């Protein structure tokens, strides 16, 4: 799962990848990720929670979805890679917690994330320092971000005809 991030490209996520890159802050990017994750998968959802020091990015799998360690590892490695694409290679999460046991290659997790990694955790969580998550990003482009948001809203409206909210936004 960690090795998948080496091959990440914004186009893999379509409009979401490009909206991510044009977000004003990592918080804005994470909010988009949370809102539009359904474009990528219906098997998981993100919860974003602030505490005194961090934004907590919590990955929850839906009942019907199979939780596999490699899937969780690739999600958090992609997310870290996306943050580094926006905030620079010096970005490191404050911590990463994974529900699965430590693999034999646990050292690779510490080397990749460059932060404490907790295995056998109660939930799948990445913490990002508030000063990192709210820092203005150099690639911010509100016009391009809005255009990509509109593409995703239209896509979701077409995906689910009963989703009145996104159908109205698309119109």
């Amino acid at each position: 799962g960690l090795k998948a991030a080496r091959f990440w490209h914004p186009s893999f996520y379509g409009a979401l990848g490009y909206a991510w890159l044009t977000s004003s802050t990592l918080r804005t990017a994470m909010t988009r990720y949370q809102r539009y994750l359904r474009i990528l998968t219906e098997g998981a959802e993100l919860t974003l929670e602030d505490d005194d020091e961090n934004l907590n990015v919590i990955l929850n799998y839906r009942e019907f979805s199979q939780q596999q360690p490699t899937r969780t590892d690739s999600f958090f490695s992609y997310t870290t890679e996306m943050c580094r694409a926006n905030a620079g290679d010096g970005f490191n999460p404050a911590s990463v917690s994974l529900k699965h046991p430590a693999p034999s290659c646990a050292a690779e997790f510490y080397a990749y994330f460059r932060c404490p990694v907790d295995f056998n955790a109660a939930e799948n969580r990445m913490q990002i320092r508030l000063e990192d998550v709210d820092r203005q990003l150099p690639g911010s482009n509100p016009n391009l971000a809005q255009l990509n948001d509109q593409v995703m809203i239209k896509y979701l409206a077409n995906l689910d005809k009963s989703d009145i909210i996104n159908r109205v936004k698309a119109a």
Side-chain angles (χ1 to χ4, degrees), residues 44-63:
E45 62 185 3
L46 281 182
T47 303
L48 303 177
E49 296 175 354
D50 277 28
D51 62 29
D52 292 338
E53 299 176 11
N54 301 298
L55 173 69
N56 295 280
V57 180
I58 303 163
L59 177 66
N60 294 302
Y61 290 98
R62 298 182 194 245
E63 235 178 76

Side-chain angles (χ1 to χ4, degrees), residues 2-3 6 103-114 117 119:
L2 288 181
K3 292 177 183 171
R6 281 190 261 167
S104 60
C105 61
E108 292 181 33
F109 285 75
Y110 303 114
Y112 179 76
F113 291 114
R114 304 186 301 232
V117 179
F119 295 99

Side-chain angles (χ1 to χ4, degrees), residues 66-79:
Q66 187 175 22
Q67 180 173 328
Q68 298 173 341
T70 54
R71 185 176 180 199
T72 304
D73 299 346
S74 65
F75 173 83
F76 283 119
S77 67
Y78 276 144
T79 302

